[in-house]
Amino acid sequence: MSELRVKKRDVGATALLGRNGHPQIATPTGGNLSVVTAASEPGFNPLDLLYSSLAACLALSARIAASRMGVLDRFEAVEAKVTGEKSEGEPARILRFDMRLTISGDFDEPTKQAIAHEAERICTVSNTLRGEADFHLSIA
């Protein structure tokens, strides 16, 4: 059995917002993104980024699941679509995440189901959202 190897990298994000304009997000790995604030503006808002993180993690995890199951040679693509329902009152939060995986390749329905469920099981983002992570706020 092969040993699981996890490559460590810097993680996190910094948001900078002045008196005017949009939040600017930067990551330690060189990612940069301007976040939109109005509903009609094209681009990513904070909830889009949350849904995007879950969708990307599920897609990557589906490919990993196919590899672990020994069927990666038949795997063509996966599309992960994530939406949800936001609370109308306080505290503002997501009440439900709706996730849909479309798996392309030479698979029967049970294999697609197995890949999808394994992807959700190993996805760091879905595991975090289901969990009870501690939040620590400090003021610099």
Side-chain angles (χ1 to χ4, degrees):
M1 181 176 225
S2 67
E3 182 180 319
L4 179 65
R5 287 175 274 194
V6 177
K7 184 177 178 182
K8 299 285 185 176
R9 65 179 246 171
D10 289 338
V11 296
T14 302
L16 178 62
L17 176 64
R19 178 186 295 242
N20 296 306
H22 295 94
Q24 301 300 308
I25 307 296
T27 68
T29 56
N32 291 288
L33 179 69
S34 182
V35 177
V36 300
T37 55
S40 62
E41 284 182 287
F44 290 95
N45 68 36
L47 288 181
D48 291 334
L49 292 170
L50 180 63
Y51 292 137
S52 297
S53 293
L54 181 54
C57 187
L58 287 168
L60 290 166
S61 295
R63 188 171 65 191
I64 292 167
S67 178
R68 288 182 181 177
M69 293 169 62
V71 296
L72 187 59
D73 60 325
R74 295 184 281 149
F75 183 91
E76 292 175 9
V78 61
E79 177 183 88
K81 182 176 182 178
V82 177
T83 60
E85 180 184 343
K86 184 179 173 188
S87 66
E88 293 187 23
E90 296 289 332
R93 65 193 183 285
I94 301 299
L95 299 172
R96 185 186 71 244
F97 289 93
D98 297 312
M99 304 167 291
R100 181 175 182 86
L101 295 182
T102 304
I103 300 168
S104 301
D106 184 22
F107 302 119
D108 58 16
E109 225 19 69
T111 303
K112 287 181 181 182
Q113 290 288 330
I115 291 169
H117 289 289
E118 180 67 4
E120 187 180 5
R121 188 188 72 75
I122 63 177
C123 172
T124 301
V125 176
S126 65
N127 288 330
T128 302
L129 291 169
R130 288 187 198 300
E132 297 179 17
D134 292 328
F135 289 77
H136 299 275
L137 176 66
S138 61
I139 309 300

